[in-house]
Amino acid sequence: MNTWVQALLRPEPVAVMVLLILIGSLIQGVRRGASGSAKHLFFFIWQAVSVVLSLLLAGRAAERLSPLVRDWLLSRNIQVPKHELSTFKQIWYTIVTSLRDFDLLRFGLIFLITYTIFRYLLGWLQPLFGLFYDSVLRISENRRSVGDKLLSGTASRATGAMIGALLGAGRAFVVIAILFVYVSMLPSGPLTESIRSSAFYAKTASELLSPVAGDVLTRGPVFTDAVAAEFRRVLQRKYEVIDSAVPANIEQAAIKVTKKARTDEEKARALYDWVGTRIAYDWDKANNYEDNGVWKEQTPAETFNTHKGVCIDVARLYAVMARSVGLEVRVVTGLGATGKGDYGPHAWNEVRLADQGGGWIPLDATWASSGNWFNPSGFSSTHLRET
């Protein structure tokens, strides 16, 4: 017990925050007295129970409903129209097709919706519990003698102080638990090192939270990476929806470039050569983003007309041209070798060779000027795909 007190009294942010919560709850307990403090403690416990119950029910509901929603969306045979879409329709098709195809996104959305519903429904029960509590309290007060009531002032405040301290301990534990989840899920996040350096946090996390959490939150970084990857897939889907309408001049150019090609691989190679030799890398755009954080979004039509773009622009243009001649293609995001021993954000393409067994081959038209990056051996060593 002494080690807990010593850790709490150290002048560091987490301990100070917990100490303020305890002192504030203690003062509230004295002011409210025994009955008021007990009532707040009762509802604090009820809120905690309702949150846990809602989480459990939402998890079960999402597990059951996710495959049903997927199957229903698949049965609708939703196809993105090939004509130009309004902003609202772009958002609509991005959301609907992403929910259909991306399991983690679908599960997460259903989980959030069902959790909100369960919390709302359980919230309707709170007034009933309040009436029950008040009736029990009135019965107990009626049974007290006049002498007890005369002595109740000081005793009530003392009891309220103890209940307030207990309530403060519960509130502090919730705060520490939130910090524990934050540190586990975002080990490199802001203030993480400061939180870890707290002796009180370290003791609470190691002795109370880690045994309860087990290995669930040790997978936090993995889960965070999975969420980030899913988010990037949604962004990629957004580009696919936006780029579904191919301008006539780009379609005509793609047809002209591939008119002598007979196989899917020959078509993919012809487009790779054409895009790779005609689109210059836009260093001004890249530097403006790296130095000033200013990003200029541009469409494949702008890349086609200006003959300039960064890797994502080149990849999107290649994808639009490839689709216009019947190739199945996707934009891939990940990390590309910089030539300085490290990697940086990058984008490239993969094309499916339907007439050669249906396999996918990688290509990088952005790097075409530096060598052969059309399905070369060792492509995966310089291009790290996000999974």
Side-chain angles (χ1 to χ4, degrees):
M1 185 65 184
N2 289 335
T3 56
W4 284 93
V5 175
Q6 291 172 359
L8 181 61
L9 294 179
R10 290 184 181 180
E12 46 88 9
V14 175
V16 170
M17 178 176 61
V18 170
L19 199 58
L20 290 175
I21 292 174
L22 291 174
I23 293 173
S25 298
L26 187 66
I27 294 173
Q28 285 182 339
V30 172
R31 293 177 60 187
R32 290 169 180 159
S35 61
S37 297
K39 187 172 184 178
H40 275 78
L41 179 61
F42 172 83
F43 283 114
F44 178 81
I45 295 173
W46 163 247
Q47 289 290 335
V49 171
S50 64
V51 168
V52 173
L53 188 59
S54 297
L55 288 172
L56 293 174
L57 292 174
R60 291 293 181 87
E63 188 177 352
R64 298 282 184 87
L65 293 176
S66 182
L68 297 178
V69 172
R70 178 201 59 206
D71 294 342
W72 183 79
L73 289 172
L74 286 172
S75 70
R76 309 306 294 177
N77 194 27
I78 300 170
Q79 300 292 333
V80 180
K82 298 303 181 183
H83 56 78
E84 189 172 351
L85 301 174
S86 65
T87 301
F88 174 79
K89 288 186 176 181
Q90 289 175 3
I91 296 173
W92 166 254
Y93 281 106
T94 299
I95 293 174
V96 171
T97 58
S98 296
L99 288 175
R100 179 192 64 194
D101 299 335
F102 304 151
D103 294 336
L104 183 58
L105 174 69
R106 184 175 57 254
F107 180 91
L109 183 61
I110 295 174
F111 178 86
L112 290 176
I113 292 174
T114 52
Y115 172 78
T116 302
I117 292 173
F118 287 128
R119 285 284 287 130
Y120 178 78
L121 294 176
L122 289 174
W124 279 91
L125 298 178
Q126 183 166 319
L128 297 178
F129 280 94
L131 292 174
F132 172 76
Y133 180 87
D134 289 339
S135 64
V136 172
L137 185 64
R138 280 195 297 270
I139 293 172
S140 63
E141 286 182 343
N142 291 335
R143 290 177 177 175
R144 289 192 303 169
S145 65
V146 176
D148 290 337
K149 290 182 179 180
L150 292 175
L151 296 174
S152 64
T154 303
S156 176
R157 292 182 182 279
T159 305
M162 289 188 291
I163 296 175
L166 182 61
L167 184 58
R171 289 169 175 165
F173 183 79
V174 170
V175 171
I176 295 296
I178 293 173
L179 295 178
F180 179 72
V181 173
Y182 172 76
V183 170
S184 300
M185 298 295 290
L186 298 172
S188 301
L191 303 179
T192 296
E193 288 302 322
S194 177
I195 295 170
R196 282 204 193 98
S197 64
S198 166
F200 184 79
Y201 167 81
K203 188 168 183 62
T204 306
S206 62
E207 296 188 13
L208 297 180
L209 295 173
S210 292
V212 175
D215 64 346
V216 174
L217 285 179
T218 60
R219 300 190 184 96
V222 177
F223 178 75
T224 304
D225 290 342
V227 172
E230 193 84 332
F231 179 70
R232 287 188 289 267
R233 292 175 71 190
V234 174
L235 290 179
Q236 179 178 328
R237 176 59 52 86
K238 181 195 75 170
Y239 287 133
E240 292 173 0
V241 171
I242 293 174
D243 299 341
S244 60
V246 183
N249 59 336
I250 295 181
E251 183 177 6
Q252 292 168 3
I255 293 173
K256 183 177 180 180
V257 169
T258 59
K259 64 180 180 180
K260 295 182 180 180
R262 295 293 177 265
T263 66
D264 287 346
E265 185 173 4
E266 289 177 356
K267 289 181 181 179
R269 180 74 196 221
L271 290 172
Y272 163 83
D273 291 335
W274 191 90
V275 173
T277 56
R278 281 166 176 76
I279 307 301
Y281 194 81
D282 193 345
W283 289 104
D284 290 337
K285 176 178 177 176
N287 293 334
N288 196 27
Y289 176 69
E290 292 180 0
D291 298 338
N292 305 314
V294 178
W295 173 254
K296 178 184 177 298
E297 191 73 64
Q298 68 187 58
T299 65
E302 291 175 308
T303 306
F304 182 83
N305 293 330
T306 62
H307 297 277
K308 291 195 305 182
V310 294
C311 56
I312 186 63
D313 305 320
V314 174
R316 287 176 65 188
L317 175 61
Y318 182 93
V320 166
M321 298 185 73
R323 293 190 189 106
S324 68
V325 294
L327 293 174
E328 188 176 350
V329 63
R330 55 195 178 202
V331 176
V332 183
T333 57
L335 299 175
T338 63
K340 301 177 181 178
D342 57 357
Y343 292 82
H346 193 47
W348 59 95
N349 296 100
E350 288 180 350
V351 176
R352 182 172 180 266
L353 305 181
D355 59 355
Q356 298 181 36
W360 291 82
I361 62 169
L363 59 96
D364 188 346
T366 305
W367 288 6
S369 60
S370 65
N372 176 31
W373 293 101
F374 184 87
N375 193 27
S377 59
F379 188 93
S380 59
S381 64
T382 54
H383 296 70
L384 305 181
R385 179 193 178 108
E386 291 168 343
T387 58

